[in-house]
Amino acid sequence: MKILLLLFATIVAFWISALCGGGASLILIPALNLVLAPALVPFALTVGTFSSAASRIAVFKEHIEWKIFVWFVPFSIPAVILGAWLMKFVNPLYLEIFIALFLLGNVTELFRGAKKQHNEEKPHPKYVLALVGFLAGFVSGVTGAIGLLFNRFYLRYGLTKEQIVATRAANEIFLHLVKLVVYLLLGLYSQEAIYFGLAIAVGAVISSYSIKFILPHISEFVFRKLGYGAMVVSGAFLLVSTAQSIIREDKFSLSTNRYNETVMNWRESSFVLEFSIGDGLEIERQITPDELPEHLLSKYNRLLLSYDEIFLEIVHKIGSGKAYEFYCYKDQQLTKLEFED
């Protein structure tokens, strides 16, 4: 049942992707996060997006803009290898948060007129093509998706909607192929991820061959508005779903400590954020005595002779170093001492 639902969602997502200039991967990421471990999501996505790129090239091959291709692809391949390698050390959910915020930043484009948007469309210098290729490869290697993140680049290059669909597919198919090889070598896959990836692949191919009958009826202006709209909507959706995943996996929560301070709990650590006009922004974390510098550890041991118990915090003062706070209790009375590092 999950695979059938994913198949239907994929067809719809890739229809939306073609009409909006991309974004199927970012639409499918939240759904895959519910059924797969985050480290396996990029593999399943890549199986499907590789099939989508191949089928779109077959349908729109005469519209490929080769001058973009020859600068984009050579710089994207080493970047995708780097991104895939980092997958073994970095949780992709945190990169997805930044992607979501970037996508939401395109909301102003929804209110620009057709003439103003047309005046801003122009070919980019070759070094920009190379930089975009590198960034696209890196992001794709970590998250498995390129999609809408670089939609603005294509929309502002002055390409037609058919050229955008075809050129993106040509640029991305090599990235997807390299990613598949790297993910397999690094063991970032599972039997379940293969099944979900194949379901996405079938849906992507069906979508690519059916969209050619729909795309000619969409105007260039509407195509661009849909593109920017999809970026904003996907950004909001991705931000909410990714934040929920981080809260669930990393046990993120807010609570109140014994000093009536608001505490941010993350994984096995707890932090307190404070702001005052005199001291600015401070980040506090409770520590154990063995984390104290040697000169403060000796002071701590001397103070223990005079107090019932002592709680310690390290305070990182943004722009002005760090300090240590001693919360000393004697007969339930609190004495707070602060020492600069």
Side-chain angles (χ1 to χ4, degrees):
M1 179 60 72
K2 290 180 180 179
I3 289 181
L4 290 176
L5 290 175
L6 182 62
L7 176 62
F8 175 75
T10 299
I11 295 173
V12 174
F14 278 100
W15 276 343
I16 295 172
S17 171
L19 295 176
C20 300
S25 296
L26 292 175
I27 296 171
L28 292 172
I29 281 176
L32 287 171
N33 278 333
L34 297 176
V35 295
L36 288 174
L40 300 177
V41 169
F43 175 82
L45 272 177
T46 303
V47 172
T49 49
F50 174 82
S51 303
S52 173
S55 56
R56 289 187 186 187
I57 290 173
V59 175
F60 297 100
K61 56 183 177 295
E62 67 273 15
H63 298 286
I64 296 173
E65 189 68 26
W66 293 107
K67 64 182 179 182
I68 295 179
F69 174 87
V70 297
W71 279 95
F72 186 100
V73 172
F75 290 90
S76 63
I77 290 177
V80 77
I81 295 173
L82 173 63
W85 175 75
L86 286 176
M87 275 284 297
K88 296 184 74 72
F89 312 100
V90 178
N91 188 338
L93 292 174
Y94 290 94
L95 180 58
E96 289 170 17
I97 286 286
F98 288 104
I99 291 174
L101 295 174
F102 178 83
L103 292 172
L104 286 171
N106 289 280
V107 67
T108 57
E109 297 294 332
L110 292 174
F111 305 100
R112 291 177 181 266
K115 185 175 181 180
K116 191 168 185 179
Q117 282 188 349
H118 178 73
N119 290 338
E120 293 182 352
E121 294 172 4
K122 59 182 180 180
H124 299 290
K126 292 177 180 178
Y127 73 88
V128 174
L129 297 178
L131 177 61
V132 171
F134 182 88
L135 293 175
F138 179 77
V139 172
S140 182
V142 175
T143 66
I146 306 173
L148 291 173
L149 185 60
F150 297 96
N151 207 21
R152 189 168 181 169
F153 159 74
Y154 290 101
L155 290 171
R156 289 199 167 188
Y157 199 87
L159 304 176
T160 66
K161 56 184 184 291
E162 290 83 6
Q163 286 176 322
I164 290 176
V165 172
T167 306
R168 284 184 49 150
N171 286 345
E172 295 169 10
I173 191 169
F174 287 96
L175 294 183
H176 298 320
L177 180 60
V178 171
K179 283 188 298 179
L180 283 176
V181 174
V182 174
Y183 292 155
L184 289 170
L185 291 175
L186 295 177
L188 298 172
Y189 69 96
S190 68
Q191 187 176 18
E192 191 177 25
I194 293 173
Y195 290 149
F196 283 120
L198 292 175
I200 295 174
V202 172
V205 172
I206 293 173
S207 175
S208 294
Y209 278 92
S210 58
I211 200 65
K212 68 177 181 179
F213 301 106
I214 302 174
L215 196 59
H217 301 287
I218 306 295
S219 71
E220 295 289 344
F221 177 72
V222 171
F223 180 81
R224 280 160 171 72
K225 287 298 182 184
L226 287 172
Y228 287 118
M231 294 172 80
V232 174
V233 172
S234 293
F237 189 51
L238 186 62
L239 180 63
V240 172
S241 63
T242 303
Q244 290 174 340
S245 296
I246 289 175
I247 290 172
R248 181 177 63 253
E249 291 186 15
D250 289 342
K251 302 175 183 178
F252 179 89
S253 63
L254 298 176
S255 60
T256 303
N257 64 13
R258 68 179 65 210
Y259 319 120
N260 202 30
E261 299 171 324
T262 299
V263 180
M264 181 181 72
N265 304 295
W266 180 70
R267 295 184 178 178
E268 304 302 324
S269 301
S270 299
F271 304 89
V272 175
L273 295 178
E274 284 190 350
F275 179 80
S276 65
I277 295 177
D279 297 325
L281 181 64
E282 297 179 346
I283 302 175
E284 301 177 358
R285 179 175 63 86
Q286 191 168 339
I287 61 173
T288 57
D290 58 353
E291 296 180 70
L292 289 170
E294 188 173 342
H295 68 285
L296 290 181
L297 179 59
S298 60
K299 185 180 292 291
Y300 168 82
N301 290 327
R302 290 196 301 272
L303 288 171
L304 274 179
L305 301 175
S306 304
Y307 292 94
D308 299 328
E309 57 182 348
I310 301 175
F311 296 95
L312 306 171
E313 284 186 351
I314 184 172
V315 182
H316 297 276
K317 300 182 178 182
I318 306 302
S320 58
K322 61 183 177 181
Y324 294 87
E325 293 180 347
F326 287 45
Y327 292 85
C328 308
Y329 286 88
K330 178 71 173 180
D331 298 328
Q332 298 185 342
Q333 296 296 314
L334 170 64
T335 301
K336 180 180 177 181
L337 304 175
E338 182 172 322
F339 302 96
E340 297 293 333
D341 186 16

